[in-house]
Amino acid sequence: MEIVPGVHAVQLVGSIGYLIVEDELTLIDAGFAGSHLLLRRYLRRLGRSIDEIASIICTHAHPDHIGGVRGIVGRRSVEVLMHPADATPLKVSLGDVIARPTPGALVGLLARGPWNPLPLHDGDVLPVLGGVEVVHTPGHTPGTICLYARARGVLFVGDALQVICGQLSGPSHVFSEDRRLALRSIARLAALDVGTICFAHYAPWRRDPRLALRALAERT
C-alpha cells in the first residue's frame, strides 16, 4: 500500500516494512526471517526487483525488524544501517549470554541479524525522500531510532510508539528495555512537523499527529 508518493507499506513476516521507491530502493525494517518472499512478491507487482534494494535501515534490533535482513540481502552488497547501541549486542555468543543474561544479549543471540551494520547516529541525514533525519529515541531498545522525512511530513517510528484503544501510546511495557527512557524520548518527536506516523504494527496515523504527539508527550 502506498502511504505517500514513493513510500509503500509492505506486510512482512511479523511486522510492516516501509519501501522507499526511487531510482534505487530503500527498505525500513526487514521483518522476521522469510520476509524476502513477501517483499519479492510486492516488488514484482511494482515492476521492480529485490535486487534493486540498495540499503536497509533498521529502527532497532528486535528479531521482527532485523531477522529478514539476511534473506533480503542474499549474497549481494547492500548497506545495512542501525544505531551502534543496538548493533553491538548482535555479536554476542552463547557464552556471553550465559555470563550476562540481559534482555539485549538474549535478543542479540536469537535475532540472527546483520553482523556488521553501518552506524547511524542522531542527526544523520539519509539521502532519500529529500532527506531523512535520524532521531535517536532510546528506551524500547538502547539504539531505537525514528526516521523523519521532513519534506514529506512522514515519521517512521518502528516500535517507539504504538496504538492502543484508538490512542497514540508509548512503546510496549513487556518488550521495552527502559520504558521510562522511551517515554522521555517522545518529547523529541512531539517537536516535529508530522503529517503521517508510520508504525511497525499498526496502520498509519493521520489524525492530527502533531496534536496527538504533543498530548502523548504531556501525558508522559
Side-chain angles (χ1 to χ4, degrees):
M1 176 177 65
E2 192 168 35
I3 303 301
V4 298
V7 178
H8 294 248
V10 183
Q11 182 61 61
L12 303 177
V13 180
S15 69
I16 300 168
Y18 291 91
L19 185 68
I20 298 172
V21 179
E22 297 177 328
D23 290 341
E24 294 183 326
L25 302 178
T26 300
L27 180 66
I28 299 173
D29 286 331
F32 279 119
S35 289
H36 64 287
L37 301 173
L38 297 175
L39 182 60
R40 184 178 286 118
R41 186 183 309 157
Y42 189 92
L43 284 166
R44 191 179 299 123
R45 294 203 298 269
L46 297 181
R48 304 293 294 263
S49 165
I50 200 169
D51 294 333
E52 297 177 69
I53 292 179
S55 59
I56 301 173
I57 308 164
C58 300
T59 59
H60 62 289
H62 281 171
D64 56 334
H65 294 256
I66 66 171
V69 166
R70 295 187 186 188
I72 294 167
V73 169
R75 297 182 179 180
R76 297 178 299 112
S77 177
V78 176
E79 282 190 340
V80 180
L81 306 101
M82 69 172 64
H83 195 280
D86 271 16
T88 300
L90 296 179
K91 300 178 182 180
V92 300
S93 66
L94 178 59
D96 295 328
V97 174
I98 292 172
R100 299 184 61 190
T102 64
L106 183 59
V107 168
L109 183 67
L110 297 176
R112 289 190 53 79
W115 277 100
N116 293 297
L118 299 174
L120 281 179
H121 298 280
D122 186 59
D124 286 351
V125 178
L126 302 167
V128 294
L129 295 178
V132 170
E133 181 180 346
V134 176
V135 184
H136 185 208
T137 50
H140 182 60
T141 66
T144 289
I145 59 170
C146 296
L147 299 164
Y148 177 45
R150 186 181 300 273
R152 305 293 181 91
V154 178
L155 180 65
F156 303 93
V157 299
D159 288 347
L161 297 174
Q162 57 182 339
V163 179
I164 298 178
C165 299
Q167 280 200 321
L168 194 64
S169 304
S172 165
H173 288 272
V174 176
F175 296 107
S176 295
E177 294 188 36
D178 187 337
R179 195 167 188 274
R180 288 185 180 180
L181 178 58
L183 294 176
R184 290 202 298 271
S185 293
I186 291 169
R188 299 197 63 196
L189 305 179
L192 303 176
D193 185 9
V194 178
T196 304
I197 302 174
C198 294
F199 310 87
H201 300 285
Y202 305 92
W205 182 289
R206 293 189 173 96
R207 193 172 70 247
D208 203 344
R210 288 190 67 187
L211 180 60
L213 283 167
R214 286 198 297 269
L216 177 59
E218 289 170 2
R219 293 200 306 271
T220 57

